Amino acid sequence: MSECIFCKIINKEIPSQVIFEDEHVLAFKDINPVAPVHLLVIPKKHRESLNDIDVADEALLGHILVVAKKLAQESGIADSGYRVVNNCGDDGGQVVKHLHFHVIGGQPLGVKIC
């Protein structure tokens, strides 16, 4: 995945503001934030989108959500509320073709989705 910008961030070829890293995931600040807190949590294992995961990735997806919760708590947005968003495919608004989850909060987020 030599062309993938997120793989380059994982490999430290492109700088980012990393706020969490372990053997499975990397989390960093979004360079175009839509709220005071806007973080990205990405698996180190390249998967293009949610459509490319399978049963073998269940533990990884659970880990990503646990990390998202931890980051929300550490960022001070857990109590007031936040969103965890995954955009899948072109029509879903996915820009970078590497599975990633946005953790967004720190202000009222407007439109209620559900």
Side-chain angles (χ1 to χ4, degrees):
M1 299 295 114
S2 62
E3 307 303 317
C4 174
I5 190 167
F6 285 174
C7 287
K8 289 180 179 183
I9 289 171
I10 291 165
N11 293 326
K12 310 295 189 234
E13 297 170 29
I14 296 176
S16 65
Q17 291 183 300
V18 174
I19 57 168
F20 179 85
E21 182 174 11
D22 65 16
E23 67 269 20
H24 304 292
V25 301
L26 183 75
F28 54 96
K29 293 183 178 182
D30 193 295
I31 61 169
N32 294 308
V34 299
V37 175
H38 188 165
L39 312 172
L40 297 174
V41 183
I42 65 173
K44 289 185 172 181
K45 177 181 181 181
H46 183 87
R47 291 286 187 258
E48 186 170 306
S49 75
L50 203 54
N51 287 333
D52 296 312
I53 60 104
D54 56 33
V55 173
D57 297 311
E58 285 180 351
L60 175 62
L61 291 175
H63 182 64
I64 288 170
L65 292 177
V66 168
V67 169
K69 175 191 167 201
K70 173 185 176 355
L71 297 175
Q73 291 171 325
E74 290 175 356
S75 298
I77 61 172
D79 290 339
S80 61
Y82 59 99
R83 285 191 184 146
V84 177
V85 178
N86 170 261
N87 299 319
C88 185
D90 293 336
D91 285 354
Q94 184 178 4
V95 176
V96 178
K97 303 303 184 197
H98 184 119
L99 179 66
H100 60 284
F101 293 80
H102 300 258
V103 179
I104 303 168
Q107 69 184 34
L109 295 175
V111 177
K112 294 184 180 182
I113 296 171
C114 296

